[in-house]
Amino acid sequence: MLESKIPSGPIEQKWDKARFDMKLVNPANRRKYRVIIVGSGLAGAAAAASLGQQGYNVDCFSFHDSPRRAHSIAAQGGINAAKNYRNDGDSIFRLFYDTVKGGDFRAREANVYRLAQISVNIIDQCVAQGVPFAREYGGLLDTRSFGGVQVSRTFYARGQTGQQLLLGAYQALEEQIAAGTVRMHTRSEMLDLVVVNGRARGIVTRNLVTGAIETHAADVVVLGTGGYGNVFYLSTNAKGSNTTAIWRAHRRGALFGNPCFTQIHPTCIPVSNENQSKLTLMSESLRNDGRVWVPKKQGDTRAPGSIPEDERDYYLERRYPSFGNLVPRDVASRNAKEVCDEGRGVGPGGMGVYLDFSDAIKRLTEPVVREKYGNLFDMYEEITGENAYKVPMRIFPAVHYTMGGLWVDYQLMSSIPGLFVAGEANFSDHGANRLGASALMQGLADGYFILPYTLPNYIASSSLEKVDTSHPAFAAVKEEVQQRVAKMVNIRGKRTVDSIHKELGKMMWNNCGMARSEEGLRSNLAKIPELRHEFWTNVNIIGGGEEFNQSLEKAGRVADFLELAELMCLDALQRAESCGGHFRVESQTPDGEALRDDDRFSYVSAWEWKGENADWVLHQEPLAFEYVHLTQRSYK
Amino acid sequence: MNLTLKVWRQQDAKAAGKFVSYQVQNVTPDMSFLEMLDLLNENLQTKGEAPVVFEHDCREGICGSCGFLINGVAHGGHRGTTVCQLSMRFFKDGDSLTLEPWRAKAFPVLRDLAVDRSAFDRIIQAGGFISAPTGGAPDANAILVPKNDAERAFDAAACIGCGACVAACPNAAAMLFTSAKITHLNSLPQGQPQRDQRTLDMVAAMTEEDFGSCTNHGECEAVCPKEIPIEFIGRMNRDLIHATLHRRGE
């Protein structure tokens, strides 16, 4: 069942070999094939535009009012590429090496190598589209060092790199829409997948304005629907980000890979009130110049300026002298949690640490700091009312990204033939921890440069029978979707959707967040089904299914989070090792660092849904490391 | 603090709308404006009433989903701020606030505070792109871009497509939006081959979509959450004249 289809041969040649071995579709025949792409973020929009250019007949779906709203737009920091424009020792191999190691040896080597190779083409492509990357006075592209790497390989567009890359893909997509190769379906949410004779052949959607449930058939379906960090309720994800598309596909047979691998980002603005609806990320580029500290004394409530230098604990610099404030995200987050658990946290509730720029301002002057980080300082002031040029920022970790997702092979195809998964929605390239500036790279690699090869190969090498929405499978799935919507709307209980979502989020943050224990996970596994029952018997959705109904939209997504949460805890429980963002308290070194267990856990967990009243079945894809040798990560 | 909200309620595009008053209690200064509306909606739902529909997603001022008028001002009138970033500390106990959707012929109301802004996508379809099919790009450093041009392109590309400029304009013009995209792409060497055609087509699309014309009120710049300057409209007009004359000569 778990055939990863990694090509043979040396790692540098695998992708070339795979591309040569792929079957092609005659240009004249391409328009006869229909491709459904769900999601219009970096992966989805890039794939839709590229396949439209090749001549395929593409239908692209987004629950937003415009494809430009996808949450890729919010990425701040940058995008990695092994261009070595700085002559500082970077190379494809080094980007590959850093990514495998940064992922704590839980990603596939072959996939990561391909990602590093493609990274150079992405920058070329984006510049050709007019993405306004930062430049130097001579007109060449500028780069910076980012998120715990020692070379300068991150390309950026001020603090809005995701926005500019997405607009590039969006504009290419709009060009194809105008050309008639892509039909865009906005305000359409995928609520189920249609599988015919073992192959993905279409989707069922809800029109979010009219409430109409609609069916769409195709020869191949791509999901580029992003991550599921909102299972925690509070996260840096957009409010609409959800798991529904991949979860519905999982229930139709797609295996779910590494569901417990969640990234908790170290530099976010701390939670300030009970009604808080989301958390705001501050780009981790801030760690290039800011110094992280807490008071040495517990419960020290003095203002930061009146705490003398020798009573401050610059704990990252102390514990990790060679990387200091630039340790990878998982390490920085866990250390922040530890010092706060020790009672040394700062700000309201003691859930925060300082990120202090006073040394940088002394060294570089305030105008230089303003030029580098001005928009971030402004954003911080808008939210907190504090001026970070005068007092240190307060930061705390927040859920940011999910490395887990639907299991895919080297071709990005899930375990359902004809269902491809791209970007954050798949599990593939980041292992147990994603390095900074790698998400944009992966989304665009999948969309621009991998799917446009692997998807035609699938079409050309499969004998696809003619299927349209008149096939009985479509009517059957549509009926199920309609019943589910009707059931939800008719519960008419006492609790709002948000109140249940918040309760789930707290449970997940406490027991399946930055530190996970067997006891906490078992407690969640007992309580989540109860909360699910509460939802299905006591939720109150105002209004009906046949109208613009945001409560109903949220309810459908929360219903799926309530199932996914259980699988995440189950996965975290079976992985009795610490790796990357997954820290099991039972598995640590004597000095409190994460302790991996390669003998027992060097595999991808891929879970199979067996029905509502049956247990999931765990499949394992063993991981082999031929090029990057297994070592315990050390940033000391 | 306690607030009185007068909110535009409209069931769907065809229904007539009206203002309905609500009291919101226990608002704290560290909430965002949309969190205050979340609180209102939680209370409405608990009472069995339909929550107020408003668009939002990233809640950090970059996706462009949110936006409505607060006391007649798009996004509430704090410079460079979308309504999702607007903090309640700028309001005081007892304030009375009127919330209504963007008002423009080209942006029909869908429900309550949500409007249809797909006309913006159609303006982009007309020419808001550089044709660069995937795969054929030269090395990223092969074409140098002077830093000033790159900076101007970025300033223009910062537009989030929220529609506040249209809502604030007495003529409901989309010229700030359109000129921002034209300035972004026309400032770059990569955008030169399609420069004239892009300008002509996007301006034509803007007119077809029932947006008005600029008469230099400057309201658009004042409410733009990304502070896109009105100067770009001048650039667009210059490029339009240039393109028109160029075409006549051909």
Side-chain angles (χ1 to χ4, degrees):
Chain A
M1 192 161 198
L2 282 179
E3 206 194 321
S4 59
K5 296 196 197 130
I6 294 170
S8 58
I11 199 158
E12 306 80 25
Q13 291 165 23
K14 284 181 193 290
W15 179 231
D16 286 347
K17 180 177 186 313
R19 284 195 291 175
F20 182 72
D21 289 342
M22 281 179 201
K23 293 209 173 74
L24 305 174
V25 178
N26 182 318
N29 286 333
R30 289 178 191 162
R31 65 188 157 77
K32 296 178 192 157
Y33 292 102
R34 292 187 84 100
V35 178
I36 281 176
I37 296 178
V38 187
S40 65
L42 288 180
S50 303
L51 290 162
Q53 288 158 7
Q54 289 190 8
Y56 293 94
N57 206 335
V58 181
D59 284 278
C60 184
F61 295 81
S62 167
F63 66 74
H64 291 104
D65 69 318
S66 162
R68 67 182 293 155
R69 313 270 185 230
H71 191 53
S72 308
I73 205 154
Q76 297 170 0
I79 176 166
N80 287 329
K83 283 286 198 183
N84 193 28
Y85 282 159
R86 292 280 173 175
N87 200 28
D88 60 357
D90 200 12
S91 63
I92 287 168
F93 198 90
R94 188 175 297 279
L95 175 54
F96 155 69
Y97 178 93
D98 287 348
T99 307
V100 170
K101 185 183 168 209
D104 219 359
F105 301 93
R106 292 294 174 263
R108 266 187 216 139
E109 277 192 334
N111 283 52
V112 178
Y113 195 88
R114 174 177 65 186
L115 179 65
Q117 282 176 304
I118 291 173
S119 70
V120 299
N121 305 108
I122 296 172
I123 300 301
D124 298 343
Q125 181 62 33
C126 295
V127 167
Q129 289 170 342
V131 170
F133 285 114
R135 300 219 169 228
E136 301 187 340
Y137 283 101
L140 294 169
L141 289 159
D142 194 14
T143 56
R144 60 186 174 195
S145 153
F146 196 80
V149 290
Q150 290 165 316
V151 291
S152 180
R153 64 159 74 103
T154 303
F155 295 79
Y156 65 101
R158 295 191 198 156
Q160 287 116 285
T161 316
Q163 179 198 23
Q164 295 309 319
L165 296 176
L166 182 64
L167 292 180
Y170 156 76
Q171 289 162 200
L173 173 61
E174 292 294 341
E175 184 184 12
Q176 292 306 307
I177 294 169
T181 59
V182 181
R183 277 168 308 284
M184 188 71 216
H185 307 255
T186 56
R187 298 189 193 270
S188 291
E189 181 161 27
M190 169 178 161
L191 293 183
D192 217 330
L193 179 74
V194 181
V195 180
V196 178
N197 294 334
R199 293 180 188 274
R201 294 308 298 264
I203 61 172
V204 176
T205 59
R206 180 168 177 272
N207 178 318
L208 298 184
V209 178
T210 65
I213 306 290
E214 292 158 354
T215 53
H216 309 270
D219 295 289
V220 49
V221 177
V222 178
L223 303 182
T225 53
Y228 49 87
N230 275 342
V231 68
F232 292 88
Y233 186 74
L234 283 181
S235 81
T236 66
N237 287 6
K239 293 296 285 176
S241 301
N242 69 79
T243 190
T244 291
I246 61 172
W247 192 255
R248 294 284 121 192
H250 172 59
R251 290 175 55 118
R252 296 278 167 202
L255 301 184
F256 207 116
N258 295 333
C260 81
F261 285 169
T262 314
Q263 177 159 80
I264 319 268
H265 195 290
T267 53
C268 301
I269 299 176
V271 178
S272 66
N273 73 81
E274 266 301 300
N275 294 300
Q276 191 142 354
S277 57
K278 78 153 278 167
L279 298 172
T280 303
L281 174 80
M282 305 292 292
S283 167
E284 78 181 322
S285 61
L286 290 169
R287 286 198 282 145
N288 286 344
D289 286 302
R291 298 179 70 195
V292 177
W293 65 276
V294 290
K296 283 187 178 165
K297 267 200 317 222
Q298 286 182 350
D300 190 338
T301 54
R302 285 176 292 175
S306 42
I307 300 177
E309 200 59 29
D310 62 350
E311 292 179 42
R312 300 176 176 191
D313 181 12
Y314 295 89
Y315 57 90
L316 290 176
E317 296 170 23
R318 173 172 58 80
R319 293 186 69 174
Y320 309 96
S322 69
F323 278 71
N325 296 299
L326 292 175
V327 291
R329 292 176 173 179
D330 54 337
V331 180
S333 293
R334 200 161 52 246
N335 276 275
K337 175 181 162 40
E338 275 170 26
V339 295
C340 293
D341 287 351
E342 288 165 13
R344 299 195 287 142
V346 299
M351 283 294 153
V353 300
Y354 289 126
L355 180 63
D356 195 334
F357 288 86
S358 52
D359 285 350
I361 290 169
K362 264 183 235 152
R363 191 177 76 245
L364 303 167
T365 74
E366 188 174 316
V368 174
V369 171
R370 191 181 296 276
E371 193 191 344
K372 280 175 112 166
Y373 307 113
N375 63 326
L376 297 168
F377 279 52
D378 291 348
M379 185 165 85
Y380 182 80
E381 185 165 4
E382 263 168 25
I383 293 172
T384 63
E386 289 175 5
N387 177 348
Y389 297 102
K390 305 274 177 252
V391 292
M393 282 184 184
R394 287 175 295 109
I395 55 166
F396 197 66
V399 173
H400 179 54
Y401 188 90
T402 48
M403 282 74 71
L406 291 185
W407 182 90
V408 289
D409 63 18
Y410 188 74
Q411 307 260 335
L412 301 185
M413 191 164 83
S414 73
S415 54
I416 300 175
L419 179 70
F420 289 76
V421 192
E424 190 178 351
N426 73 28
F427 89 104
S428 71
D429 296 353
H430 306 297
N433 175 51
R434 182 175 63 73
L435 286 180
S438 287
L440 302 179
M441 173 172 70
Q442 186 224 334
L444 290 178
D446 290 359
Y448 283 133
F449 295 106
I450 302 176
L451 289 177
Y453 288 91
T454 61
L455 206 132
N457 175 55
Y458 167 79
I459 288 173
S461 52
S462 316
S463 49
L464 295 165
E465 55 187 325
K466 185 134 183 58
V467 170
D468 60 29
T469 54
S470 63
H471 190 282
F474 282 86
V477 177
K478 182 179 176 182
E479 173 72 19
E480 279 181 53
V481 169
Q482 280 169 330
Q483 280 178 5
R484 190 174 138 95
V485 170
K487 187 177 168 191
M488 233 179 261
V489 167
N490 289 324
I491 298 169
R492 305 280 180 216
K494 295 216 165 351
R495 290 187 62 177
T496 62
V497 177
D498 274 355
S499 82
I500 294 177
H501 193 180
K502 282 182 189 178
E503 190 177 335
L504 175 70
K506 274 195 184 130
M507 222 186 265
M508 292 299 285
W509 177 247
N510 290 336
N511 292 327
C512 199
M514 273 188 285
R516 297 144 177 206
S517 69
E518 179 171 347
E519 190 193 352
L521 291 166
R522 287 199 188 281
S523 146
N524 269 16
L525 286 169
K527 285 183 189 153
I528 291 167
E530 291 169 17
L531 189 60
R532 205 159 53 220
H533 179 75
E534 170 78 0
F535 177 93
W536 283 104
T537 53
N538 197 26
V539 80
N540 184 22
I541 298 161
I542 308 289
E546 275 137 35
E547 58 182 305
F548 192 157
N549 188 338
Q550 291 176 320
S551 306
L552 176 61
E553 292 168 28
K554 276 198 275 193
R557 296 165 191 168
V558 171
D560 290 331
F561 281 136
L562 283 162
E563 294 179 5
L564 165 71
E566 186 175 351
L567 182 63
M568 288 171 73
C569 293
L570 207 57
D571 187 46
L573 184 64
Q574 65 84 28
R575 194 171 280 280
E577 64 161 349
S578 295
C579 60
H582 170 66
F583 187 74
R584 276 291 297 268
V585 295
E586 297 89 349
S587 180
Q588 46 184 310
T589 62
D591 55 350
E593 298 295 331
L595 182 62
R596 234 175 42 229
D597 185 346
D598 294 322
D599 293 338
R600 291 166 64 210
F601 295 104
S602 191
Y603 60 76
V604 174
S605 53
W607 296 87
E608 184 185 359
W609 171 265
K610 285 287 188 185
E612 280 185 21
N613 300 312
D615 291 337
W616 276 277
V617 170
L618 173 63
H619 302 267
Q620 297 177 356
E621 180 197 331
L623 292 169
F625 294 90
E626 293 175 54
Y627 294 86
V628 186
H629 295 294
L630 285 162
T631 49
Q632 199 73 32
R633 286 191 307 166
S634 170
Y635 295 94
K636 305 232 173 209
Chain B
M1 62 183 122
N2 298 329
L3 302 170
T4 304
L5 299 183
K6 274 165 65 185
V7 185
W8 183 260
R9 301 304 306 260
Q10 181 173 339
Q11 175 67 24
D12 56 43
K14 290 186 190 116
K18 61 171 195 275
F19 284 105
V20 179
S21 285
Y22 302 101
Q23 301 294 320
V24 195
Q25 269 129 25
N26 302 321
V27 176
T28 57
D30 49 12
M31 289 165 73
S32 70
F33 201 91
L34 297 190
E35 284 165 358
M36 185 272 292
L37 286 186
D38 290 341
L39 187 62
L40 168 68
N41 279 344
E42 283 291 285
N43 296 339
L44 288 177
Q45 290 176 87
T46 309
K47 285 192 286 188
E49 293 178 39
V52 176
V53 171
F54 61 93
E55 300 221 61
H56 64 97
D57 197 34
C58 75
R59 295 201 177 193
E60 48 190 85
I62 195 77
C63 75
S65 298
C66 71
F68 43 79
L69 304 171
I70 304 175
N71 291 343
V73 183
H75 291 299
H78 279 261
R79 197 157 182 85
T81 305
T82 56
V83 71
C84 67
Q85 295 174 295
L86 184 60
S87 166
M88 290 312 293
R89 69 174 174 274
F90 298 123
F91 298 88
K92 56 182 194 303
D93 188 42
D95 275 357
S96 180
L97 306 173
T98 303
L99 312 187
E100 57 185 316
W102 293 161
R103 303 285 191 189
K105 194 176 171 194
F107 289 166
V109 174
L110 294 172
R111 185 166 187 177
D112 299 343
L113 303 177
V115 301
D116 178 356
R117 289 168 289 191
S118 55
F120 272 6
D121 289 333
R122 291 189 291 274
I123 292 175
I124 299 295
Q125 280 164 31
F129 47 77
I130 290 172
S131 297
T134 308
D139 184 85
N141 261 345
I143 300 172
L144 300 177
V145 182
K147 189 173 169 74
N148 287 342
D149 292 348
E151 293 288 322
R152 187 192 321 111
F154 188 97
D155 288 342
C159 168
I160 58 175
C162 64
C165 47
V166 174
C169 177
N171 310 326
M175 289 183 88
L176 194 67
F177 169 81
T178 309
S179 70
K181 188 46 67 192
I182 287 177
T183 301
H184 162 205
L185 300 174
N186 287 5
S187 293
L188 295 168
Q190 290 85 354
Q192 297 314 307
Q194 292 165 293
R195 181 175 186 146
D196 289 350
Q197 196 63 49
R198 167 184 308 119
T199 310
L200 293 166
D201 290 348
M202 288 181 75
V203 170
M206 193 175 78
T207 314
E208 270 167 40
E209 293 289 345
D210 273 342
F211 290 106
S213 289
C214 176
T215 44
N216 292 316
H217 290 267
E219 295 287 338
C220 51
E221 177 181 319
V223 299
C224 175
K226 297 296 145 184
E227 303 180 68
I228 309 271
I230 197 170
E231 168 211 331
F232 292 162
I233 296 180
R235 286 184 170 272
M236 176 173 79
N237 286 335
R238 189 197 63 191
D239 281 9
L240 181 64
I241 292 166
H242 188 268
T244 310
L245 294 175
H246 222 187
R247 278 298 146 91
R248 203 175 288 165
E250 272 172 10

